[in-house]
Amino acid sequence: MLLEAVYHRPRLNWSYAYNENTIHLRLRAKKGDLTEVYAWTGDKYAWDTTKELIPMSLFTSDEMFDYWDCESVPPYRRLKYGFLLQKGLERIWMTESDFSPHRPENPEKLFEFPYINRSDIFTPPAWVKDAIFYQIFPERFANGDPSLDPENVQPWGGKPERDSFFGGDLQGVIDHLDHLSELGINAIYFTPVFAATTNHKYDTEDYLRIDPQFGDAKTLKKLVDACHERGIRVLLDAVFNHAGKTFAPFVDVQEKGEASPYKDWFHVNQFPLAIDQEIPSYDTFAFEPLMPKLNTENAEVKQYLLEVAEYWIKEVGIDGWRLDVANEVSHEFWREFRKVVKRANPDAYILGEIWHESAPWLEGDKFDAVMNYPFTSAVIDFFVLGNLDAEGFANSIGKQLSRYPLQASEVAFNLLDSHDTPRLLTLAKGDKKKQKLAALFQFTFMGTPCIYYGDEVGMDGGGDPDCRKCMEWEKDKQDLELFEFYRRLIHIRASHPALRTGTMSFLEASRQGTKLAYERRLGDDILIVLVNTEETAQHFQLAVEERNWENVLTDASLRAERGILSVKLPAFGYVVLKAVY
């Protein structure tokens, strides 16, 4: 037993309250080392009458470690606990301070979860578990009101450049809500809609005014109301890390220098403001002079931005915020932001843009979720690029699941492309079979999936600005079969709670393998997904419960014979099977 690999901490993703009554415990061990693990639990004030051994399950694994977990429902919302580790006949007890072959005589040295305080429970909005997001880049989705077009507007469908405009607006979205409803979308994430000079609007000029190219506050209210009537939630983009060069306080600093009352709204390193060898004398997003970084530790800045966050929730009724460059803003600001937003709408979804491991932002006091780019990378590498084998992919997904509390994973924002990346179909070099495999995993995995506008009809595009093409609305240029595939995936996900909140376990994922099999399970709702990423047919033989299985994509039925399920998949084939009772 390699005790050096065993790890637990009484906080974060290792020991946390899942709800008002339940505590989740996790423990890490060397991969394949332990055969059984138990949590030894009880109430610290009534140890002798409440102590019990709770079997732990192998929750997930990565390339180096196994992760075991269990849940405890303590009678008084307090918990003292240790662990019993077994490897064959070898037994070791783990306490907060040491390992011992002998059971501790009393609970004094055990780990402790002092009390489940309701205000400390990380509780993301429940609706997000059932959400299917659709990302819209407003300037490129649809032109519904040509009277708002800027002077230099280009013909719809032209080649996008970094400074080109095509006239997309909010009315255009309203005009095409039928498309989203038909697809099955119930949530929209909009990139910025506030006044700015660029086509992407990440250089905010006025946080309290809708960009006149898109419409006005009445148009946004009309859009939000129309969405809500269809059961569609609306998420706006909050660019609070930085503003734009035409933001009035920054204009004042540019004009008055150190005499400006707004000089402390920004991080100015030297006056007068200047750019030396492409490096501004003030902090910015990256080194972009058009985007001066806001000083969110300044009381006036903080008050202004928090009022903005509250205003659009109360006045227009939006359902949450996506936070741009979220990891470069102070944790303290986001703690206050969460309090303001949740007071305005306790059901609001707070989504941070972070491209890497994000545990410090997912402790229940800042964000509900982050944009799950590590998930994106793993899916692209396995299903599209072939840079990972099945084992490597399973390890990567296992590592992701081990990092966060379960409630964070259940509402993770799982995307495959966006306005910041090449489109999925382009990464697949036009191979829609690979696109389908990636989307299949996205929609049968834990977390909320997001479709980037146009992916569902076969749009392609390289990196920015090519990934920001105008939405294709001509039916004869849309891939309607692909649209139907996405629509079917959404229907399957909506029909099976196991795909949204069930357990996840890999049944087959071998080294150098191109076959992947995994199970999603929630009570009697059991589904198995088989995927062949190889360009030749392959056979699956899985040990499963002996019962009938139904192909939810074709309604064909199969039966496990003597506990073995045999399935042949064609090149780049897939199947989703549900247990039939």
Side-chain angles (χ1 to χ4, degrees):
M1 193 179 299
L2 188 68
L3 297 181
E4 294 93 326
V6 176
Y7 183 79
H8 173 82
R9 287 188 68 188
R11 61 164 301 181
L12 302 175
N13 55 315
W14 301 99
S15 172
Y16 60 90
Y18 182 70
N19 55 39
E20 293 183 4
N21 303 303
T22 308
I23 294 171
H24 285 186
L25 301 176
R26 291 181 183 170
L27 178 130
R28 188 195 76 187
K30 178 187 175 184
K31 190 169 186 174
D33 192 32
L34 303 183
T35 53
E36 293 179 73
V37 182
Y38 298 85
W40 191 39
T41 70
D43 185 88
K44 63 182 176 180
Y45 299 118
W47 178 256
D48 289 337
T49 58
T50 60
K51 63 184 177 181
E52 65 173 324
L53 281 172
I54 301 175
M56 301 185 75
S57 301
L58 183 56
F59 162 59
T60 193
S61 301
D62 60 27
E63 64 272 20
M64 296 178 66
F65 301 109
D66 286 333
Y67 300 88
W68 299 77
D69 78 346
C70 69
E71 67 175 35
S72 171
V73 182
Y76 308 107
R77 297 208 291 272
R78 304 179 295 254
L79 200 67
K80 273 283 195 178
Y81 64 94
F83 299 98
L84 171 60
L85 317 177
Q86 291 192 201
K87 181 177 183 179
L89 299 177
E90 184 182 5
R91 293 159 57 96
I92 295 290
W93 295 85
M94 178 184 180
T95 70
E96 187 175 58
S97 57
D98 59 18
F99 295 94
S100 172
H102 306 293
R103 183 197 300 255
E105 294 182 0
N106 58 61
E108 292 179 4
K109 292 185 178 181
L110 299 183
F111 297 98
E112 183 171 349
F113 194 104
Y115 192 79
I116 303 177
N117 290 291
R118 290 180 176 87
S119 61
D120 292 335
I121 301 171
F122 180 16
T123 311
W127 62 265
V128 182
K129 297 177 186 178
D130 302 322
I132 306 295
F133 269 93
Y134 189 88
Q135 182 188 349
I136 292 178
F137 192 87
E139 216 282 319
R140 305 293 159 78
F141 190 64
N143 188 336
D145 186 353
S147 70
L148 303 177
D149 291 355
E151 293 181 3
N152 56 343
V153 69
Q154 302 295 308
W156 193 261
K159 180 176 173 55
E161 304 291 350
R162 290 191 179 275
D163 57 354
S164 57
F165 290 84
F166 293 93
D169 51 41
L170 298 180
Q171 184 60 49
V173 180
I174 296 172
D175 295 342
H176 288 90
L177 287 178
D178 283 348
H179 174 82
L180 302 186
S181 293
E182 182 184 357
L183 183 58
I185 297 301
N186 57 16
I188 301 174
Y189 151 47
F190 289 96
T191 53
V193 298
F194 305 122
T197 65
T198 59
N199 54 39
H200 54 70
K201 310 302 177 190
Y202 280 98
D203 59 324
T204 312
E205 179 178 291
D206 188 342
Y207 290 87
L208 293 171
R209 184 167 66 103
I210 301 301
D211 193 288
Q213 176 195 341
F214 294 159
D216 55 23
K218 290 182 179 179
T219 318
L220 179 61
K221 175 64 173 170
K222 178 183 175 184
L223 170 57
V224 171
D225 288 346
C227 286
H228 286 173
E229 288 174 4
R230 294 168 177 261
I232 298 174
R233 312 266 184 162
V234 176
L235 200 69
L236 294 188
D237 211 320
V239 190
F240 289 175
N241 173 70
H242 55 271
K245 198 170 184 179
T246 56
F247 181 51
F250 191 68
V251 171
D252 196 79
V253 175
Q254 293 175 78
E255 294 175 349
K256 300 175 183 176
E258 287 189 271
S260 172
Y262 297 103
K263 66 181 177 67
D264 292 330
W265 278 45
F266 307 93
H267 299 270
V268 180
N269 302 313
Q270 184 178 347
F271 287 101
L273 301 187
I275 301 173
D276 183 18
Q277 297 183 359
E278 300 185 351
I279 306 294
S281 63
Y282 50 94
D283 290 353
T284 63
F285 166 67
F287 296 108
E288 175 51 66
L290 290 174
M291 299 179 181
K293 183 174 175 64
L294 289 162
N295 179 10
T296 54
E297 296 180 16
N298 177 282
E300 293 177 347
V301 173
K302 186 182 298 183
Q303 181 180 355
Y304 172 76
L305 294 178
L306 294 179
E307 287 175 355
V308 168
E310 180 182 59
Y311 177 83
W312 293 106
I313 291 176
K314 288 188 171 181
E315 294 299 315
V316 175
I318 67 169
D319 301 287
W321 291 100
R322 180 266 192 184
L323 311 173
D324 190 57
V325 199
N327 57 340
E328 295 187 24
V329 177
S330 74
H331 288 261
E332 184 59 29
F333 176 82
W334 291 133
R335 290 188 184 99
E336 295 190 38
F337 174 89
R338 183 179 183 87
K339 291 176 182 177
V340 168
V341 167
K342 295 294 184 177
R343 277 197 301 265
N345 178 5
D347 228 15
Y349 181 43
I350 301 175
L351 172 67
E353 183 208 15
I354 301 180
W355 289 58
H356 50 79
E357 197 274 336
S358 307
W361 290 270
L362 296 174
E363 298 180 19
D365 59 343
K366 293 177 278 289
F367 308 157
D368 293 314
V370 295
M371 301 184 76
N372 199 356
Y373 277 106
F375 162 89
T376 311
S377 297
V379 172
I380 297 298
D381 280 344
F382 177 62
F383 292 102
V384 177
L385 303 180
N387 293 336
L388 277 180
D389 59 16
E391 181 185 55
F393 175 71
N395 287 337
S396 181
I397 293 298
K399 183 175 295 184
Q400 284 301 307
L401 291 174
S402 75
R403 286 171 166 171
Y404 307 135
L406 177 60
Q407 54 263 55
S409 295
E410 289 175 338
V411 298
F413 194 85
N414 294 335
L415 68 164
L416 296 180
D417 52 3
S418 72
H419 65 291
D420 285 326
T421 71
R423 283 189 177 266
L424 176 59
L425 186 56
T426 294
L427 291 172
K429 297 182 179 179
D431 190 337
K432 290 177 183 175
K433 296 188 296 295
K434 292 183 177 181
Q435 177 178 353
K436 287 181 178 180
L437 295 185
L440 174 67
F441 185 81
Q442 180 189 29
F443 279 85
T444 55
F445 183 61
M446 188 181 303
T448 180
C450 180
I451 299 171
Y452 185 40
Y453 78 96
D455 279 0
E456 77 280 8
V457 293
M459 285 182 59
D460 60 6
D464 175 21
D466 198 43
C467 56
R468 303 174 182 183
K469 292 179 180 178
C470 296
M471 175 64 178
E472 182 55 72
W473 289 115
E474 294 185 34
K475 286 290 186 182
D476 61 347
K477 295 182 180 179
Q478 293 182 340
D479 187 329
L480 300 182
E481 188 276 331
L482 188 61
F483 178 89
E484 177 59 25
F485 173 79
Y486 274 92
R487 193 195 67 77
R488 181 68 170 150
L489 283 183
I490 292 170
H491 173 74
I492 291 170
R493 183 177 179 86
S495 302
H496 292 281
L499 295 179
R500 306 191 300 277
T501 58
T503 59
M504 168 81 181
S505 57
F506 287 100
L507 305 179
E508 180 170 343
S510 60
R511 180 172 297 180
Q512 297 183 346
T514 52
K515 296 191 298 181
L516 187 74
Y518 53 96
E519 177 191 84
R520 301 299 312 277
R521 179 187 291 253
L522 185 65
D524 291 336
D525 190 24
I526 304 172
L527 293 101
I528 292 177
V529 183
L530 309 178
V531 179
N532 175 19
T533 65
E534 179 60 66
E535 58 184 14
T536 187
Q538 297 200 80
H539 292 262
F540 287 76
Q541 286 196 315
L542 300 174
V544 298
E545 298 172 34
E546 190 165 338
R547 56 160 58 99
N548 291 325
W549 296 83
E550 180 181 301
N551 184 338
V552 301
L553 296 167
T554 66
D555 296 328
S557 42
L558 300 85
R559 178 160 182 81
E561 300 293 341
R562 298 180 181 178
I564 299 297
L565 185 63
S566 297
V567 180
K568 177 183 177 181
L569 289 185
F572 301 107
Y574 53 87
V575 66
V576 181
L577 303 173
K578 73 173 182 179
V580 179
Y581 296 88

